[in-house]
Amino acid sequence: GIGKTTLAKAVGDVTKEQKLFDEVIMVVVSRVVNITSLQDQTADSLGVKLEEKSELGRAKQLSFSLKSEKKILLILDGVWERLDLTTIGISFDYRHIRCKILMATRDEQVHNYMMCQKKVQLNVLNQKEGIDLIKKHVGVGYDSTVLIDIAKKSFGRV
């Protein structure tokens, strides 16, 4: 509700635009974790066809695909609970993998459990801060009807 997904997408777009990674993959985790769905989303984004039927076999195949020479940014959006990345196929063998992970969660305990290296705390903006942010990034003035319409939708009445 405070823009985690929007911010994660923006990071993905900027890294693609600046060619910081060979691949940028965004996977939606959701409240109820479905390992098969996470594996499928990741594999589809990599252009990999998972041949294995078992979760473990699919994880091994996906892990092998991620250990390429490509630099990969994997965005995990909507992480609601602890997630064992190795069950998906995301291993942390630093000798082989060139994959960075950006995780968007609303739960600080999830962040701590998953031993994230850096944390960016997002706070809800008040109405003035929200309008200033929109003005800055949209490039319109306070009197713009576009700005006023966006502000009304985002922050209630202006």
Side-chain angles (χ1 to χ4, degrees), residues 26 29 32 71 82 107 150-151:
M26 186 154 184
V29 178
V32 178
K71 288 174 55 179
R82 298 172 183 167
D107 190 331
I150 292 170

Side-chain angles (χ1 to χ4, degrees), residues 2-9 11-12 15 21 24-30 33 38 72-86 88 90 92 99-122:
I2 62 170
K4 294 176 297 298
T5 297
T6 302
L7 185 57
K9 284 180 183 176
V11 169
T15 57
F21 293 90
V24 176
I25 302 166
M26 186 154 184
V27 176
V28 178
V29 178
S30 77
V33 176
L38 298 176
I72 300 169
L73 173 61
L74 176 61
I75 301 171
L76 299 173
D77 184 41
V79 181
W80 286 82
E81 60 186 46
R82 298 172 183 167
L83 187 61
D84 181 359
L85 298 177
T86 57
I88 300 167
I90 304 167
F92 293 98
C99 181
K100 299 286 184 186
I101 298 172
L102 171 68
M103 183 181 70
T105 183
R106 63 179 59 217
D107 190 331
E108 189 170 359
Q109 290 178 338
V110 170
H111 171 273
N112 295 337
Y113 171 80
M114 295 186 68
M115 296 181 281
C116 298
Q117 293 176 347
K118 295 186 181 184
K119 175 172 96 174
V120 176
Q121 183 75 34
L122 298 180

Side-chain angles (χ1 to χ4, degrees), residues 8 12 20 25 32 45 72 94 97 109 126 129 135 137:
L20 299 174
I25 302 166
V32 178
S45 295
I72 300 169
Y94 293 106
I97 197 164
Q109 290 178 338
N126 66 36
E129 292 168 330
K135 178 184 174 199
H137 290 285

